[in-house]
Amino acid sequence: MTNTPASYQAGSLIYTRQGLLTLSCWLLWGDFAFYFFEAIFLRFIPIYLKELQASNTLIGIMTGSFAGLVNVLFLPGISKMSDNFRSRLGRRIPFLLVVTPIVVGTLILVGFAPEIGGWIHDRFAIHLPWGISRGVFILGLLSTLIITFHFFNMVLVNGYNWLIRDVVPLKVMARFLAWFRIVGTVSSVIFLWHVFPHLLTHRGIICLTIGVFYLVVFLLMCFKVKEGTYPAPEAGSSHKGIFRLYADYFRECLQVPLYRNFLLTFLLVIVATNCATSFTTLFMKESLGISMDGMGRIFSYTAALSAIVYFPLGWLCDRISPVKVAVGALVGLSLCPLAGYFWVQTKGDYIAYSLMFILPTSAWLLASMAVAMLLFPSEKFGQFSGAMNVFGCGGQIGGNLLIGFIIDFFHNDYRMALLWIALFAGAAVIPMILVIRGWLAHGGPSNYVPPQPVIR
């Protein structure tokens, strides 16, 4: 009697355990570089802009609203294009190969923006309109580079997420995502502990080094990970006009109540957390007086804790379903910052709050990804997964403007960011409960079949 090696299937791809391990190593290696790269924009850009005398409203626009705008305007078309794209390399990897060098180049220019902007202004000031000052010109150049980064990074981030869905077997998806989060968190800890404290003084060389490292690692991953074969693309999709394409996109994404409620949940959580991230960082620096080194340590502590909890959370998602874990996470996302608003007064308080808040945050990040992989139909996964960012980033456009205005109105009271998180995360609990009801109505944990939108 012979033992047949265990096999795992993702579409047309079939892996042995060894093959699955090899796939995991390449994806995780790319994920390590990805989180290292993303940490600069997530943690440093608000401080960078503040150092250049940007207003809180401008910080909100640059760190969130423009990212939301490019997602809303371009992601519907790009997601459908990727779903229907066919090539020798697949339907996701060609997009990654094109945008990765552009994103890296933009990051490197961001690192040297004051030097580049100052050099241009000093030599061509007499030709610039309206007597633009040196500081305003540098801030304008940096803002332009940030907008450019947001556009191409939108394609990269979403394309990478779609690739994971296409090549990773659903049978092990939650545990895969847990390992992705663990590796990403380790990457973040290394960045926050060793790199973040030095960004203000060595930003240029840090952006250059991280950019080159990311480019090499991510492109290598793209050449090593292989996509399978896909069904024929949606007939007639390439002949639709832009307005018809967008109308069909939003009608299909919102037609099924189950998907509609999940997209609303995701939108509210994005508004709650992403719009507040820049201002919670400034709350630490400006309101509590925590140094760059101190902030790096705090971010490292919370990231290390999240690395510890991700794997048991992945096991819990596989055990009781990610949709149930998501509801519990949302309750915690609401109650923790509400307590922090009244309680946090010192650096020690903020450390304790951060360690408490990272638990529901980690649970939501993992569970929401697993819910999307579970709920959405595979043949249109790029479209529906892209819709999460379209609607979430649409919320960011208004959310970042509003929270920046609120904090300016309250004279730089950055504590308001905690109250903001509590309000919107609490509101997200209601549609997530409706997601559970819809999921059960379509088969639940044992017999779930993704409902298909009716195309007219």
Side-chain angles (χ1 to χ4, degrees):
M1 181 176 180
T2 60
N3 292 324
T4 304
S7 63
Y8 304 85
Q9 186 168 0
S12 66
L13 297 170
I14 300 176
Y15 303 98
T16 62
R17 286 182 178 174
Q18 181 62 41
L20 192 62
L21 179 61
T22 302
L23 173 72
S24 303
C25 290
W26 283 114
L27 288 174
L28 291 172
W29 182 229
D31 202 53
F32 178 86
F34 178 77
Y35 273 88
F36 214 85
F37 183 78
E38 285 280 295
I40 292 181
F41 266 76
L42 179 64
R43 298 296 187 186
F44 178 60
I45 290 300
I47 297 171
Y48 193 9
L49 288 166
K50 195 69 176 179
E51 289 290 315
L52 294 174
Q53 307 302 313
S55 69
N56 294 308
T57 301
L58 181 61
I59 291 172
I61 292 172
M62 286 296 105
T63 57
S65 291
F66 266 114
L69 184 62
V70 296
N71 274 271
V72 171
L73 292 179
F74 300 104
L75 192 53
I78 291 171
S79 64
K80 288 184 75 71
M81 184 189 306
S82 181
D83 279 345
N84 292 306
F85 186 79
R86 301 292 183 268
S87 77
R88 180 175 59 84
L89 295 176
R91 62 178 181 175
R92 314 300 188 192
I93 289 175
F95 287 82
L96 299 180
L97 291 174
V98 171
V99 300
T100 300
I102 301 174
V103 172
V104 169
T106 306
L107 174 71
I108 293 171
L109 291 175
V110 164
F112 292 96
E115 290 77 16
I116 296 171
W119 183 87
I120 295 173
H121 185 274
D122 292 345
R123 283 155 182 77
F124 302 101
I126 59 174
H127 302 293
L128 297 175
W130 311 300
I132 297 176
S133 69
R134 195 174 193 270
V136 170
F137 184 82
I138 291 173
L139 192 57
L141 175 63
L142 177 59
S143 298
T144 302
L145 291 171
I146 291 173
I147 294 168
T148 304
F149 175 88
H150 282 318
F151 174 78
F152 290 103
N153 195 53
M154 167 207 53
V155 182
L156 191 152
V157 170
N158 284 280
Y160 182 54
N161 187 46
W162 303 336
L163 176 67
I164 291 172
R165 175 59 179 82
D166 285 349
V167 301
V168 176
L170 279 177
K171 183 179 179 180
V172 295
M173 182 63 74
R175 279 164 285 181
F176 242 86
L177 294 176
W179 277 112
F180 289 153
R181 285 292 175 183
I182 291 169
V183 169
T185 300
V186 170
S187 173
S188 298
V189 170
I190 295 172
F191 172 84
L192 293 167
W193 193 269
H194 296 288
V195 179
F196 181 82
H198 308 290
L199 267 169
L200 281 177
T201 54
H202 299 84
R203 57 178 155 68
I205 189 63
I206 288 173
C207 288
L208 176 62
T209 304
I210 290 177
V212 172
F213 168 70
Y214 179 76
L215 180 66
V216 172
V217 170
F218 213 73
L219 290 183
L220 188 60
M221 182 207 72
C222 288
F223 286 115
K224 292 296 184 178
V225 173
K226 304 300 181 183
E227 297 186 55
T229 58
Y230 301 101
E234 182 180 304
S237 60
S238 59
H239 304 294
K240 294 180 181 179
I242 187 66
F243 294 108
R244 174 66 185 278
L245 185 147
Y246 273 66
D248 287 351
Y249 178 92
F250 287 106
R251 182 169 61 247
E252 290 177 19
C253 290
L254 295 174
Q255 185 182 99
V256 178
L258 172 61
Y259 303 151
R260 186 167 64 239
N261 286 320
F262 183 62
L263 291 173
L264 176 59
T265 303
F266 192 80
L267 183 155
L268 290 170
V269 177
I270 289 292
V271 171
T273 56
N274 288 24
C275 293
T277 296
S278 298
F279 299 105
T280 53
T281 300
L282 291 173
F283 174 58
M284 298 170 65
K285 186 174 186 294
E286 304 292 332
S287 301
L288 300 180
I290 302 175
S291 66
M292 290 286 290
D293 184 70
M295 285 190 289
R297 297 294 185 264
I298 293 173
F299 293 147
S300 299
Y301 299 149
T302 56
L305 178 58
S306 68
I308 295 171
V309 302
Y310 271 132
F311 194 77
L313 284 171
W315 174 85
L316 189 64
C317 285
D318 282 338
R319 179 79 174 180
I320 68 170
S321 171
V323 292
K324 296 178 182 178
V325 174
V327 174
L330 289 176
V331 174
L333 281 176
S334 180
L335 295 180
C336 286
L338 182 62
Y341 175 80
F342 295 103
W343 154 48
V344 174
Q345 301 296 331
T346 66
K347 177 182 176 180
D349 292 342
Y350 195 87
I351 292 174
Y353 161 75
S354 297
L355 294 174
M356 179 175 65
F357 186 60
I358 200 63
L359 297 176
T361 300
S362 300
W364 169 256
L365 288 173
L366 181 61
S368 62
M369 290 178 65
V371 169
M373 304 288 185
L374 171 68
L375 292 185
F376 297 147
S378 61
E379 59 270 25
K380 290 180 176 288
F381 184 78
Q383 174 180 337
F384 281 94
S385 175
M388 292 170 65
N389 284 330
V390 169
F391 287 94
C393 291
Q396 278 188 249
I397 295 173
N400 278 280
L401 284 169
L402 181 58
I403 191 172
F405 173 78
I406 289 173
I407 291 177
D408 276 334
F409 180 80
F410 284 97
H411 307 291
N412 295 335
D413 183 5
Y414 295 111
R415 184 180 297 273
M416 295 294 296
L418 301 179
L419 200 58
W420 173 281
I421 298 172
L423 175 65
F424 283 96
V429 174
I430 298 173
M432 192 63 213
I433 291 175
L434 296 178
V435 168
I436 290 184
R437 292 178 59 184
W439 170 64
L440 291 173
H442 287 91
S446 301
N447 302 297
Y448 175 73
V449 177
Q452 297 285 344
V454 178
I455 302 175
R456 296 182 177 88

